[in-house]
Amino acid sequence: MAMTEEGPRWRSPAEEQREEAGEEGPGGGEDLVCEECGVEEFKYKCPACGLRTCSLKCVKAHKERTGCTGVRDRTQYKPMDKLGDREMFSDISFLDDVKRVRDVARRSRPIPPRKENNLPHFMKTLRFQARKRGVRLLFLQPGMERRKENSTFYHRGKDRLYWRVQWRFDSVEGAFIDQRVDDTTILSEVLLDHLTLRKDAALEYHKLQAYTKAGLDKIKAYLPLHKQRVDQEEMAELDLGQSLAANLIGKTVVEFPIFCVRLQAESPAEAAGERSEGPAAK
């Protein structure tokens, strides 16, 4: 093995004998013989260590004997006078690869969850007051539609939470909004306000005629649950005779509560009862 400016370089036994005897190779000043077998003229040059070989057999023998990977070290230093076009293009390709890996790592970096300490003061107050009332209040990221629509606020003087409430009636297009509902208000009173004819809400009253005719006794309201487990139920039935605050105890609310309203015949329990009683009636 001989030492060069680029590090140790393996020599074939035949080449070492010629070097010891001071003889030149077949090519005069430059040895053109395979450095592995020392017989045939070389055809290949190892990208990693520069050793010259004549065939695939010699390439494999060289790797087994020296443990060379055959892959050029793209970070190895080379003086300017030894840089050729191949090295220049290889370096440019290496820099492009580094940039691509950096960009991929930057894009795939997980976004840290929003900490409560980073929330504005009024949102911290809302979350704290909701927690005092047994409600787990979650906020979406800034810019999301539901976040922008949220008009819930806390009245410090009255110690009251005023929730934005959204109602969705089955088979009725669109949502019906209450901008700020006192959490001590009985839920049936809030719902009844949508079922009562008002000059400023005639179209709304017309859409809800089926519910108006049925009356509160035939209406069921549900709160979609923020599921934590696969086996968890999707809806929680509300007690219209209780206050809004009482109905939200132990629940998770994302920004503001959304209630689903159905006629009693459409409730899951009654529908299941009809299916079970059907065969017996026959």
Side-chain angles (χ1 to χ4, degrees), residues 42-73:
F42 86 90
K43 298 179 182 178
Y44 314 106
K45 193 172 183 180
C46 179
C49 63
L51 187 130
R52 290 168 288 190
T53 53
C54 64
S55 63
L56 180 60
K57 180 180 178 181
C58 286
V59 171
K60 291 182 177 179
H62 154 61
K63 290 183 178 180
E64 291 176 1
R65 178 171 59 84
T66 63
C68 180
T69 62
V71 179
R72 175 177 173 264
D73 183 4

Side-chain angles (χ1 to χ4, degrees), residues 186-205:
I186 302 300
L187 207 55
S188 60
E189 296 177 5
V190 184
L191 179 58
L192 190 60
D193 190 53
H194 290 280
L195 304 180
T196 304
L197 179 60
R198 304 192 313 271
K199 291 183 179 180
D200 59 340
L203 181 59
E204 177 180 309
Y205 175 79

Side-chain angles (χ1 to χ4, degrees), residues 2-275:
M3 296 298 295
T4 66
E5 293 181 358
E6 298 178 359
R9 181 175 177 182
W10 292 96
R11 297 293 188 182
S12 66
E15 187 177 6
E16 290 178 354
Q17 290 178 4
R18 288 196 299 271
E19 287 181 353
E20 291 175 1
E23 299 176 356
E24 294 182 352
E30 182 181 359
D31 194 353
L32 301 179
V33 177
C34 171
E35 296 180 84
E36 185 62 33
C37 66
V39 178
E40 301 292 338
E41 183 177 344
F42 86 90
K43 298 179 182 178
Y44 314 106
K45 193 172 183 180
C46 179
C49 63
L51 187 130
R52 290 168 288 190
T53 53
C54 64
S55 63
L56 180 60
K57 180 180 178 181
C58 286
V59 171
K60 291 182 177 179
H62 154 61
K63 290 183 178 180
E64 291 176 1
R65 178 171 59 84
T66 63
C68 180
T69 62
V71 179
R72 175 177 173 264
D73 183 4
R74 301 169 76 180
T75 61
Q76 185 181 17
Y77 171 77
K78 272 195 174 184
M80 289 294 295
D81 57 349
K82 292 192 176 182
L83 284 178
D85 291 342
R86 185 171 67 88
E87 287 78 14
M88 291 292 291
F89 283 120
S90 177
D91 289 347
I92 293 173
S93 175
F94 174 70
L95 293 176
D96 288 340
D97 290 344
V98 171
K99 182 181 178 182
R100 182 169 59 253
V101 171
R102 183 197 63 182
D103 292 342
V104 170
R106 181 180 298 171
R107 288 195 299 269
S108 61
R109 182 174 56 188
I111 300 175
R114 172 177 288 273
K115 296 181 180 179
E116 186 171 349
N117 293 335
N118 295 333
L119 293 174
H121 178 71
F122 78 94
M123 294 180 69
K124 291 182 184 178
T125 302
L126 280 180
R127 177 171 286 180
F128 175 74
Q129 293 298 330
R131 188 184 298 123
K132 279 179 58 178
R133 291 160 171 78
V135 183
R136 182 180 178 225
L137 178 59
L138 302 179
F139 294 112
L140 299 176
Q141 292 295 324
M144 300 193 72
E145 193 66 26
R146 195 163 169 182
R147 172 76 175 272
K148 292 189 290 186
E149 291 176 348
N150 193 1
S151 56
T152 303
F153 84 104
Y154 171 68
H155 194 294
R156 190 179 301 274
K158 297 180 179 180
D159 190 26
R160 299 279 180 82
L161 263 180
Y162 290 82
W163 291 94
R164 174 189 172 93
V165 177
Q166 185 178 113
W167 300 87
R168 293 179 180 174
F169 293 81
D170 272 10
S171 305
V172 178
E173 185 179 355
F176 301 83
I177 308 298
D178 290 303
Q179 291 292 348
R180 291 175 175 176
V181 178
D182 186 340
D183 64 349
T184 62
T185 306
I186 302 300
L187 207 55
S188 60
E189 296 177 5
V190 184
L191 179 58
L192 190 60
D193 190 53
H194 290 280
L195 304 180
T196 304
L197 179 60
R198 304 192 313 271
K199 291 183 179 180
D200 59 340
L203 181 59
E204 177 180 309
Y205 175 79
H206 177 73
K207 288 182 178 180
L208 300 178
Q209 276 191 350
Y211 292 87
T212 303
K213 292 177 180 178
L216 289 177
D217 293 340
K218 296 293 184 179
I219 291 177
K220 296 284 187 180
Y222 302 87
L223 172 68
L225 297 177
H226 183 72
K227 297 184 67 174
Q228 301 291 330
R229 306 185 312 274
V230 176
D231 59 344
Q232 186 175 343
E233 294 185 4
E234 296 183 354
M235 295 277 192
E237 185 175 349
L238 304 174
D239 185 349
L240 296 178
Q242 295 290 329
S243 66
L244 174 58
N247 277 284
L248 293 180
I249 292 176
K251 307 297 193 303
T252 297
V253 174
V254 181
E255 293 289 347
F256 52 85
I258 297 178
F259 298 143
C260 298
V261 184
R262 299 171 178 169
L263 293 176
Q264 190 170 356
E266 299 176 288
S267 66
E270 185 165 336
E274 289 178 357
R275 286 195 297 269

